[in-house]
Amino acid sequence: MVLRTCTALGVLCVALLPAWGHAPAAEHELHDHGHDHDHHGHDHSHDHEHDDMQDLMAWVLDPAAGVIWRSAGSITTMEGTEDLAPTTAEGWDRVRHAASVIGESGYLLMRPDRQRDDEDWGRLSEAMTEIGGRTFIAAEQRDAEAIFDLGGELYQACLACHQRYLIDKQPDLMMQ
């Protein structure tokens, strides 16, 4: 029970970091109904929105997804096969923590300042929450096969969202 509480508190702290990292603009920098303008009058309000989403992905979602993906399946080389499933309580705790972060991130994506104006955004955000919850349970049960399957579901949810909202809006990212 204590571990679960500490994990939930840690998730909350990690989830809030992106919001804490962006202090509001000084009063003299806010013009035109709250839009951020530089001294040349250029509107940069969308820059902060992009930075906030980028931070959420880079500092919260990507690391958590990476833990799940690196904790499932196996790697086969000429030397043999390495099972990636955790073998210690600490390893399973890392997967549980990552699953909690993924689950809570679905809620973070549905915040009014991040939410998009269509049903797909809500559906994909809810999928993150649902996958995170099922992955947490699988980690509690130390079910390596379920972690592998859920890692695939997580990948598909990420891919669907990126295809809809990232790649369509920034095709140059596909070239990198």
Side-chain angles (χ1 to χ4, degrees):
M1 182 59 126
V2 173
L3 182 57
R4 179 176 287 156
T5 302
C6 292
T7 301
L9 182 58
V11 168
L12 178 60
C13 291
V14 170
L16 292 175
L17 282 176
W20 292 335
H22 295 287
E27 185 66 35
H28 68 277
E29 294 176 1
L30 290 174
H31 305 285
D32 189 28
H33 306 291
H35 291 277
D36 293 325
H37 290 77
D38 64 15
H39 64 279
H40 298 292
H42 296 109
D43 182 359
H44 293 283
S45 60
H46 297 290
D47 295 346
H48 293 289
E49 177 183 313
H50 177 72
D51 289 346
D52 182 55
M53 188 64 73
Q54 245 182 342
D55 287 349
L56 179 62
M57 293 296 148
W59 296 105
V60 180
L61 274 166
D62 290 348
V67 168
I68 293 168
W69 292 328
R70 287 187 307 273
S71 300
S74 61
I75 297 174
T76 302
T77 65
M78 297 291 280
E79 289 81 32
T81 301
E82 176 188 2
D83 186 4
L84 298 176
T87 57
T88 65
E90 293 80 15
W92 285 107
D93 286 346
R94 280 191 293 276
V95 176
R96 286 184 353 168
H97 177 262
S100 293
V101 170
I102 295 293
E104 293 301 318
S105 293
Y107 295 117
L108 292 173
L109 290 169
M110 289 188 273
R111 279 186 13 193
D113 61 321
R114 290 191 179 114
Q115 193 165 11
R116 302 301 184 254
D117 293 332
D118 58 29
E119 291 180 24
D120 288 342
W121 185 265
R123 181 180 53 77
L124 292 166
S125 299
E126 288 172 6
M128 296 296 286
T129 298
E130 191 267 332
I131 292 167
R134 289 192 297 135
T135 304
F136 185 90
I137 292 168
E140 280 192 324
Q141 297 171 348
R142 297 184 179 202
D143 186 343
E145 187 174 327
I147 298 293
F148 179 80
D149 292 341
L150 289 160
E153 288 184 39
L154 176 60
Y155 175 78
Q156 292 301 319
C158 292
L159 182 63
C161 190
H162 292 181
Q163 286 176 332
R164 173 78 168 93
Y165 297 101
L166 179 64
I167 295 173
D168 288 347
K169 304 298 182 214
Q170 298 177 358
D172 59 314
L173 291 176
M174 292 175 56
M175 304 306 257
Q176 295 179 356

